[in-house]
Amino acid sequence: KDLRGEIAGLHTKNLFLRDKKRNFYLIVTEENTKIDLLSLGPKIDANGKLSFASPDALNEILGVSPGAVSLLAAVNDVEKRVAIVIDEALLKSNQINCHPLTNTRTTSLSKSDIATFLSATGHNPQYISIS
């Protein structure tokens, strides 16, 4: 937060998770949201317990490294292996900030921009209430 300074809008937290069947999920929420992985699993129809996916899987599937996980990495998921899950709380903001595949920059998008982007990548996000 100190490094980015004052940027208007909501800032995202992104978790790259997997279930016991090796289904992958990208969870996108507001940066201060507390996430309980045990209660999240049933909300997204995960098969068993959720855990963090490996850095190797993150790089292979989304083409980013830990610390740079972003909704925009869906562009690299050409095989559509990742289910995108977006917290409905993000939809309350007109400006949503995320990393553009590197954690040294921030990109601001509207809800419409995000919908257009995900449609162009062939991802149909699931919207849920995480908190």
Coordinates of all heavy atoms in Angstrom, one line a residue, residues 24-101:
F24 N -8.5 -25.7 -11.0 CA -7.9 -24.4 -10.6 C -8.9 -23.3 -10.6 O -9.8 -23.2 -11.4 CB -6.7 -24.1 -11.6 CG -5.6 -25.1 -11.5 CD1 -5.5 -26.1 -12.4 CD2 -4.6 -25.0 -10.5 CE1 -4.5 -27.1 -12.3 CE2 -3.6 -25.9 -10.4 CZ -3.5 -26.9 -11.3
Y25 N -8.7 -22.4 -9.6 CA -9.6 -21.3 -9.4 C -8.7 -20.0 -9.2 O -7.7 -20.0 -8.5 CB -10.4 -21.5 -8.1 CG -11.2 -22.8 -8.2 CD1 -10.7 -23.9 -7.7 CD2 -12.5 -22.8 -8.7 CE1 -11.4 -25.1 -7.7 CE2 -13.2 -24.0 -8.8 CZ -12.7 -25.1 -8.3 OH -13.4 -26.3 -8.3
L26 N -9.2 -18.9 -9.8 CA -8.6 -17.6 -9.5 C -9.6 -16.8 -8.8 O -10.7 -16.5 -9.3 CB -8.2 -16.9 -10.8 CG -7.6 -15.5 -10.6 CD1 -6.4 -15.5 -9.7 CD2 -7.3 -14.9 -11.9
I27 N -9.4 -16.6 -7.5 CA -10.3 -15.8 -6.7 C -9.9 -14.4 -6.7 O -8.7 -14.0 -6.4 CB -10.3 -16.4 -5.2 CG1 -10.4 -17.9 -5.2 CG2 -11.4 -15.7 -4.4 CD1 -11.7 -18.4 -5.8
V28 N -10.8 -13.5 -7.0 CA -10.5 -12.0 -7.1 C -11.5 -11.3 -6.1 O -12.7 -11.4 -6.2 CB -10.7 -11.5 -8.5 CG1 -10.3 -10.0 -8.6 CG2 -9.9 -12.3 -9.5
T29 N -10.9 -10.6 -5.1 CA -11.7 -9.9 -4.2 C -11.0 -8.6 -3.8 O -9.9 -8.3 -4.3 CB -11.9 -10.8 -2.9 OG1 -12.8 -10.1 -2.0 CG2 -10.6 -11.1 -2.2
E30 N -11.6 -7.8 -2.9 CA -11.0 -6.5 -2.5 C -9.8 -6.9 -1.6 O -9.9 -7.9 -0.8 CB -12.1 -5.7 -1.7 CG -11.7 -4.3 -1.5 CD -10.9 -4.0 -0.3 OE1 -11.1 -4.8 0.7 OE2 -10.1 -3.1 -0.2
E31 N -8.8 -6.1 -1.6 CA -7.5 -6.4 -0.9 C -7.6 -6.7 0.6 O -6.8 -7.4 1.1 CB -6.5 -5.4 -1.2 CG -6.8 -4.0 -0.5 CD -5.8 -3.0 -0.8 OE1 -4.6 -3.3 -1.2 OE2 -6.1 -1.8 -0.6
N32 N -8.6 -6.2 1.3 CA -8.7 -6.4 2.7 C -9.7 -7.5 3.1 O -9.9 -7.7 4.3 CB -9.1 -5.0 3.4 CG -8.1 -4.0 3.2 OD1 -6.9 -4.2 3.4 ND2 -8.5 -2.8 2.9
T33 N -10.3 -8.1 2.2 CA -11.2 -9.2 2.5 C -10.5 -10.4 3.1 O -9.5 -10.9 2.6 CB -12.0 -9.6 1.2 OG1 -12.6 -8.5 0.6 CG2 -13.0 -10.7 1.4
K34 N -11.1 -10.9 4.2 CA -10.6 -12.1 4.8 C -11.3 -13.3 4.1 O -12.5 -13.3 3.9 CB -11.0 -12.2 6.3 CG -10.4 -11.0 7.0 CD -9.2 -11.4 7.9 CE -8.9 -10.3 8.8 NZ -7.7 -9.5 8.4
I35 N -10.5 -14.3 3.7 CA -11.0 -15.4 3.0 C -10.8 -16.7 3.8 O -9.7 -17.0 4.2 CB -10.3 -15.6 1.6 CG1 -10.6 -14.3 0.8 CG2 -10.8 -16.8 0.9 CD1 -9.9 -14.3 -0.5
D36 N -11.9 -17.4 4.0 CA -11.9 -18.7 4.7 C -11.9 -19.8 3.7 O -13.0 -20.0 3.1 CB -13.0 -18.8 5.7 CG -13.1 -20.1 6.4 OD1 -12.2 -21.0 6.2 OD2 -14.1 -20.4 7.1
L37 N -10.8 -20.5 3.4 CA -10.8 -21.5 2.3 C -11.8 -22.6 2.6 O -12.3 -23.2 1.6 CB -9.4 -22.0 2.1 CG -8.4 -21.0 1.6 CD1 -7.0 -21.7 1.4 CD2 -8.8 -20.3 0.4
L38 N -12.0 -22.9 3.8 CA -13.0 -24.0 4.1 C -14.4 -23.7 3.7 O -15.1 -24.5 3.2 CB -12.9 -24.4 5.6 CG -11.6 -25.1 6.1 CD1 -11.7 -25.4 7.6 CD2 -11.5 -26.4 5.3
S39 N -14.8 -22.5 4.0 CA -16.2 -22.1 3.6 C -16.3 -21.7 2.1 O -17.3 -21.7 1.5 CB -16.7 -21.0 4.5 OG -15.9 -19.8 4.3
L40 N -15.2 -21.3 1.5 CA -15.2 -20.9 0.1 C -15.4 -22.1 -0.8 O -16.1 -22.0 -1.8 CB -13.9 -20.2 -0.2 CG -13.7 -19.7 -1.7 CD1 -14.8 -18.7 -2.0 CD2 -12.3 -19.1 -1.9
G41 N -14.8 -23.2 -0.5 CA -14.9 -24.4 -1.3 C -16.3 -24.7 -1.8 O -16.6 -24.9 -3.0
P42 N -17.2 -24.9 -0.8 CA -18.6 -25.2 -1.2 C -19.3 -24.1 -2.0 O -20.1 -24.4 -2.9 CB -19.3 -25.4 0.1 CG -18.3 -25.8 1.1 CD -17.0 -25.0 0.6
K43 N -18.9 -22.9 -1.8 CA -19.6 -21.8 -2.6 C -19.2 -21.9 -4.0 O -20.0 -21.4 -4.9 CB -19.1 -20.4 -2.0 CG -19.7 -20.1 -0.7 CD -19.2 -18.7 -0.3 CE -19.8 -18.3 1.0 NZ -19.3 -16.9 1.4
I44 N -18.0 -22.4 -4.4 CA -17.6 -22.5 -5.8 C -17.6 -23.9 -6.3 O -17.1 -24.2 -7.4 CB -16.2 -21.8 -5.9 CG1 -15.1 -22.6 -5.1 CG2 -16.2 -20.4 -5.5 CD1 -13.7 -22.1 -5.4
D45 N -18.3 -24.8 -5.6 CA -18.4 -26.2 -6.0 C -17.1 -26.9 -6.2 O -16.9 -27.7 -7.1 CB -19.3 -26.3 -7.3 CG -20.7 -25.9 -7.0 OD1 -21.2 -26.1 -5.9 OD2 -21.3 -25.3 -8.0
A46 N -16.1 -26.6 -5.3 CA -14.8 -27.2 -5.4 C -15.0 -28.7 -5.0 O -15.8 -29.0 -4.1 CB -13.8 -26.5 -4.5
N47 N -14.1 -29.5 -5.5 CA -14.1 -30.9 -5.1 C -13.1 -31.1 -4.0 O -11.9 -31.3 -4.2 CB -13.6 -31.8 -6.3 CG -14.7 -31.9 -7.4 OD1 -15.8 -32.3 -7.1 ND2 -14.4 -31.4 -8.6
G48 N -13.6 -31.1 -2.8 CA -12.8 -31.2 -1.6 C -12.1 -29.9 -1.2 O -12.5 -28.8 -1.6
K49 N -11.1 -30.1 -0.3 CA -10.4 -28.9 0.3 C -9.7 -28.1 -0.8 O -9.0 -28.6 -1.6 CB -9.5 -29.5 1.3 CG -8.8 -28.5 2.1 CD -7.9 -29.2 3.2 CE -7.0 -28.1 3.8 NZ -6.0 -28.8 4.7
L50 N -9.8 -26.8 -0.6 CA -9.0 -25.9 -1.4 C -7.6 -25.6 -0.8 O -7.5 -25.6 0.4 CB -9.7 -24.5 -1.5 CG -11.0 -24.5 -2.4 CD1 -11.7 -23.1 -2.2 CD2 -10.6 -24.7 -3.8
S51 N -6.6 -25.5 -1.7 CA -5.3 -25.1 -1.2 C -4.7 -24.2 -2.3 O -5.2 -24.1 -3.4 CB -4.4 -26.4 -1.0 OG -4.3 -27.1 -2.2
F52 N -3.6 -23.6 -1.9 CA -2.9 -22.8 -2.9 C -2.2 -23.7 -3.9 O -1.6 -24.7 -3.6 CB -1.8 -21.9 -2.2 CG -2.5 -20.8 -1.4 CD1 -2.8 -20.9 -0.1 CD2 -2.8 -19.6 -2.0 CE1 -3.4 -19.9 0.6 CE2 -3.4 -18.6 -1.3 CZ -3.7 -18.7 0.0
A53 N -2.3 -23.3 -5.2 CA -1.7 -24.0 -6.3 C -0.2 -23.7 -6.2 O 0.2 -22.7 -5.7 CB -2.3 -23.6 -7.6
S54 N 0.6 -24.5 -6.8 CA 2.1 -24.4 -6.8 C 2.5 -23.2 -7.7 O 1.8 -22.9 -8.6 CB 2.7 -25.7 -7.2 OG 2.6 -25.8 -8.6
P55 N 3.7 -22.6 -7.3 CA 4.2 -21.6 -8.2 C 4.4 -22.1 -9.6 O 4.3 -21.4 -10.6 CB 5.5 -21.2 -7.6 CG 5.3 -21.5 -6.1 CD 4.4 -22.8 -6.1
D56 N 4.8 -23.4 -9.8 CA 5.0 -24.0 -11.1 C 3.7 -24.0 -11.9 O 3.6 -23.7 -13.1 CB 5.5 -25.4 -11.0 CG 7.0 -25.4 -10.6 OD1 7.7 -24.4 -10.7 OD2 7.4 -26.5 -10.1
A57 N 2.6 -24.4 -11.2 CA 1.2 -24.4 -11.9 C 0.8 -23.0 -12.3 O 0.3 -22.7 -13.3 CB 0.2 -25.0 -11.0
L58 N 1.1 -22.0 -11.4 CA 0.8 -20.6 -11.6 C 1.5 -20.1 -12.9 O 0.9 -19.5 -13.7 CB 1.2 -19.8 -10.4 CG 1.0 -18.3 -10.5 CD1 -0.4 -17.9 -10.7 CD2 1.6 -17.6 -9.2
N59 N 2.8 -20.4 -13.0 CA 3.6 -20.0 -14.1 C 3.1 -20.7 -15.4 O 3.0 -20.1 -16.4 CB 5.0 -20.2 -13.9 CG 5.9 -19.7 -15.0 OD1 5.7 -18.6 -15.5 ND2 6.8 -20.5 -15.4
E60 N 2.9 -22.0 -15.3 CA 2.5 -22.8 -16.5 C 1.1 -22.4 -17.0 O 0.9 -22.2 -18.2 CB 2.4 -24.3 -16.1 CG 1.9 -25.2 -17.2 CD 1.6 -26.6 -16.7 OE1 2.2 -27.0 -15.7 OE2 0.7 -27.2 -17.3
I61 N 0.1 -22.2 -16.1 CA -1.2 -21.9 -16.5 C -1.5 -20.4 -16.8 O -2.1 -20.1 -17.8 CB -2.2 -22.5 -15.5 CG1 -2.0 -24.0 -15.4 CG2 -3.7 -22.2 -15.9 CD1 -2.7 -24.7 -14.3
L62 N -1.1 -19.6 -15.8 CA -1.4 -18.2 -15.9 C -0.2 -17.3 -16.4 O -0.4 -16.1 -16.6 CB -1.9 -17.6 -14.6 CG -3.3 -18.2 -14.2 CD1 -3.8 -17.6 -12.9 CD2 -4.4 -17.9 -15.3
G63 N 1.0 -17.9 -16.4 CA 2.1 -17.2 -17.0 C 2.6 -16.0 -16.1 O 3.2 -15.1 -16.6
V64 N 2.4 -16.1 -14.8 CA 2.9 -15.1 -13.9 C 3.5 -15.8 -12.7 O 3.4 -17.0 -12.5 CB 1.7 -14.2 -13.4 CG1 1.2 -13.4 -14.5 CG2 0.6 -15.0 -12.7
S65 N 4.2 -15.0 -11.9 CA 4.9 -15.5 -10.7 C 4.2 -15.1 -9.5 O 3.3 -14.2 -9.5 CB 6.4 -15.0 -10.7 OG 6.3 -13.6 -10.6
P66 N 4.4 -15.8 -8.4 CA 3.8 -15.4 -7.1 C 4.0 -13.9 -6.8 O 5.1 -13.4 -7.1 CB 4.5 -16.3 -6.0 CG 4.9 -17.5 -6.8 CD 5.3 -16.9 -8.2
G67 N 3.0 -13.2 -6.4 CA 3.1 -11.8 -6.1 C 2.5 -11.0 -7.3 O 2.3 -9.8 -7.1
A68 N 2.4 -11.6 -8.4 CA 1.9 -10.9 -9.6 C 0.6 -11.5 -10.1 O 0.2 -11.2 -11.3 CB 3.0 -10.9 -10.7
V69 N 0.0 -12.3 -9.3 CA -1.3 -12.9 -9.7 C -2.3 -11.8 -9.9 O -2.5 -10.9 -9.2 CB -1.8 -13.9 -8.6 CG1 -3.1 -14.6 -9.1 CG2 -0.7 -15.0 -8.3
S70 N -3.0 -12.0 -11.0 CA -4.0 -10.9 -11.4 C -5.1 -11.5 -12.3 O -4.9 -12.5 -13.0 CB -3.2 -9.8 -12.2 OG -4.1 -8.9 -12.8
L71 N -6.2 -10.8 -12.2 CA -7.3 -11.2 -13.1 C -6.9 -11.1 -14.6 O -7.3 -11.9 -15.4 CB -8.5 -10.2 -12.9 CG -9.7 -10.2 -13.7 CD1 -10.4 -11.5 -13.4 CD2 -10.6 -9.1 -13.4
L72 N -6.0 -10.2 -14.9 CA -5.5 -10.0 -16.3 C -4.7 -11.2 -16.8 O -4.5 -11.4 -18.0 CB -4.8 -8.7 -16.4 CG -5.6 -7.5 -16.1 CD1 -4.7 -6.2 -16.2 CD2 -6.8 -7.4 -17.0
A73 N -4.2 -12.1 -15.9 CA -3.5 -13.3 -16.3 C -4.4 -14.3 -17.0 O -3.9 -15.2 -17.6 CB -2.8 -13.9 -15.1
A74 N -5.7 -14.1 -16.9 CA -6.6 -14.9 -17.7 C -6.3 -15.0 -19.2 O -6.6 -15.9 -19.9 CB -8.1 -14.5 -17.5
V75 N -5.7 -13.9 -19.7 CA -5.3 -13.9 -21.1 C -4.3 -15.0 -21.4 O -4.3 -15.5 -22.6 CB -4.7 -12.5 -21.4 CG1 -3.3 -12.3 -20.8 CG2 -4.6 -12.3 -22.9
N76 N -3.5 -15.5 -20.4 CA -2.6 -16.6 -20.7 C -3.2 -18.0 -20.5 O -2.5 -18.9 -20.8 CB -1.4 -16.4 -19.7 CG -0.6 -15.2 -20.0 OD1 -0.4 -14.8 -21.2 ND2 0.0 -14.6 -19.0
D77 N -4.4 -18.0 -20.0 CA -5.1 -19.3 -19.8 C -5.8 -19.7 -21.1 O -7.0 -19.8 -21.1 CB -6.0 -19.2 -18.6 CG -6.8 -20.5 -18.3 OD1 -6.2 -21.6 -18.6 OD2 -7.9 -20.5 -17.8
V78 N -5.1 -20.0 -22.1 CA -5.7 -20.3 -23.4 C -6.4 -21.6 -23.4 O -7.4 -21.8 -24.2 CB -4.6 -20.3 -24.5 CG1 -4.1 -18.9 -24.7 CG2 -3.5 -21.3 -24.2
E79 N -6.1 -22.5 -22.5 CA -6.8 -23.8 -22.4 C -8.0 -23.8 -21.5 O -8.7 -24.8 -21.3 CB -5.9 -24.9 -21.9 CG -4.7 -25.2 -22.9 CD -3.8 -26.2 -22.4 OE1 -4.1 -27.0 -21.4 OE2 -2.7 -26.4 -23.0
K80 N -8.3 -22.6 -20.9 CA -9.5 -22.4 -20.0 C -9.5 -23.4 -18.9 O -10.5 -24.0 -18.5 CB -10.8 -22.5 -20.8 CG -10.9 -21.7 -22.1 CD -10.7 -20.3 -21.9 CE -10.7 -19.5 -23.2 NZ -9.5 -19.5 -24.0
R81 N -8.3 -23.5 -18.2 CA -8.2 -24.5 -17.1 C -8.6 -23.8 -15.8 O -8.8 -24.5 -14.8 CB -6.8 -25.0 -17.0 CG -6.4 -25.8 -18.2 CD -4.9 -26.2 -18.1 NE -4.6 -27.0 -16.9 CZ -3.4 -27.3 -16.5 NH1 -2.4 -27.0 -17.2 NH2 -3.2 -28.0 -15.4
V82 N -8.7 -22.5 -15.7 CA -9.0 -21.8 -14.5 C -10.4 -21.2 -14.5 O -10.8 -20.6 -15.4 CB -8.0 -20.6 -14.3 CG1 -8.2 -19.8 -13.1 CG2 -6.5 -21.1 -14.4
A83 N -11.1 -21.5 -13.4 CA -12.4 -20.9 -13.1 C -12.1 -19.5 -12.4 O -11.5 -19.5 -11.4 CB -13.2 -21.8 -12.3
I84 N -12.7 -18.5 -13.0 CA -12.5 -17.2 -12.5 C -13.7 -16.9 -11.5 O -14.9 -17.0 -11.9 CB -12.5 -16.1 -13.6 CG1 -11.5 -16.4 -14.7 CG2 -12.3 -14.7 -12.9 CD1 -10.1 -16.3 -14.3
V85 N -13.4 -16.6 -10.3 CA -14.4 -16.3 -9.2 C -14.2 -14.9 -8.7 O -13.1 -14.5 -8.2 CB -14.3 -17.3 -8.1 CG1 -15.4 -17.0 -7.0 CG2 -14.4 -18.7 -8.6
I86 N -15.2 -14.0 -8.9 CA -15.1 -12.6 -8.5 C -16.1 -12.3 -7.4 O -17.2 -12.7 -7.5 CB -15.4 -11.7 -9.7 CG1 -14.4 -12.0 -10.9 CG2 -15.4 -10.2 -9.3 CD1 -14.6 -11.2 -12.1
D87 N -15.5 -11.7 -6.4 CA -16.3 -11.3 -5.2 C -17.3 -10.2 -5.7 O -16.9 -9.2 -6.3 CB -15.4 -10.7 -4.1 CG -16.1 -10.5 -2.8 OD1 -17.4 -10.5 -2.8 OD2 -15.4 -10.2 -1.8
E88 N -18.6 -10.4 -5.4 CA -19.6 -9.4 -5.8 C -19.3 -8.0 -5.2 O -19.7 -7.0 -5.7 CB -21.0 -9.8 -5.3 CG -21.5 -11.0 -6.0 CD -22.7 -11.6 -5.4 OE1 -23.0 -11.4 -4.2 OE2 -23.4 -12.4 -6.1
A89 N -18.6 -7.9 -4.1 CA -18.2 -6.7 -3.5 C -17.4 -5.7 -4.4 O -17.5 -4.5 -4.3 CB -17.4 -6.9 -2.2
L90 N -16.7 -6.3 -5.4 CA -16.0 -5.5 -6.3 C -16.9 -4.7 -7.2 O -16.5 -3.7 -7.8 CB -15.0 -6.4 -7.2 CG -13.8 -7.0 -6.5 CD1 -13.0 -7.8 -7.4 CD2 -12.9 -5.9 -5.9
L91 N -18.1 -5.3 -7.4 CA -19.0 -4.6 -8.4 C -19.6 -3.3 -7.8 O -20.3 -2.6 -8.6 CB -20.1 -5.6 -8.7 CG -19.7 -6.9 -9.3 CD1 -20.9 -7.8 -9.6 CD2 -18.9 -6.7 -10.6
K92 N -19.3 -3.0 -6.6 CA -19.8 -1.8 -6.0 C -18.9 -0.6 -6.4 O -19.3 0.5 -6.1 CB -19.9 -1.9 -4.5 CG -20.9 -2.9 -4.0 CD -20.8 -3.1 -2.5 CE -21.8 -4.2 -2.1 NZ -21.6 -4.5 -0.7
S93 N -17.8 -0.9 -7.0 CA -16.9 0.2 -7.3 C -16.9 0.4 -8.8 O -17.0 -0.5 -9.6 CB -15.4 -0.2 -6.9 OG -14.5 0.8 -7.3
N94 N -16.7 1.7 -9.2 CA -16.6 2.0 -10.6 C -15.2 1.9 -11.2 O -15.0 1.9 -12.4 CB -17.1 3.5 -10.9 CG -18.5 3.6 -10.7 OD1 -19.3 2.7 -11.0 ND2 -18.9 4.8 -10.1
Q95 N -14.2 1.7 -10.2 CA -12.8 1.6 -10.6 C -12.2 0.4 -9.8 O -12.2 0.5 -8.6 CB -12.1 2.9 -10.4 CG -10.7 2.9 -10.9 CD -10.0 4.2 -10.8 OE1 -10.7 5.2 -11.0 NE2 -8.7 4.3 -10.5
I96 N -11.7 -0.6 -10.5 CA -11.1 -1.7 -9.9 C -9.7 -1.8 -10.4 O -9.4 -1.8 -11.6 CB -11.9 -3.0 -10.3 CG1 -13.3 -2.9 -9.8 CG2 -11.2 -4.3 -9.7 CD1 -14.3 -3.8 -10.5
N97 N -8.8 -1.9 -9.4 CA -7.3 -1.8 -9.7 C -6.7 -3.2 -9.6 O -7.0 -3.9 -8.6 CB -6.6 -0.9 -8.7 CG -7.2 0.5 -8.8 OD1 -7.2 1.1 -9.9 ND2 -7.7 1.1 -7.7
C98 N -5.9 -3.5 -10.6 CA -5.2 -4.8 -10.6 C -3.8 -4.7 -11.2 O -3.5 -3.7 -11.9 CB -6.0 -5.9 -11.2 SG -6.5 -5.5 -12.9
H99 N -3.0 -5.7 -11.1 CA -1.7 -5.8 -11.7 C -1.8 -6.2 -13.1 O -2.5 -7.2 -13.4 CB -0.8 -6.7 -10.9 CG -0.4 -6.3 -9.5 ND1 0.0 -5.1 -9.2 CD2 -0.5 -7.1 -8.4 CE1 0.2 -5.1 -7.9 NE2 -0.1 -6.2 -7.4
P100 N -1.1 -5.5 -14.0 CA -1.0 -5.9 -15.4 C 0.1 -7.0 -15.7 O 1.0 -6.7 -16.4 CB -0.8 -4.6 -16.2 CG 0.1 -3.8 -15.2 CD -0.4 -4.2 -13.8
L101 N 0.0 -8.1 -15.0 CA 0.9 -9.3 -15.1 C 2.3 -9.0 -14.5 O 3.2 -9.8 -14.6 CB 1.1 -9.7 -16.6 CG -0.2 -10.0 -17.4 CD1 0.1 -10.4 -18.8 CD2 -1.1 -10.9 -16.7

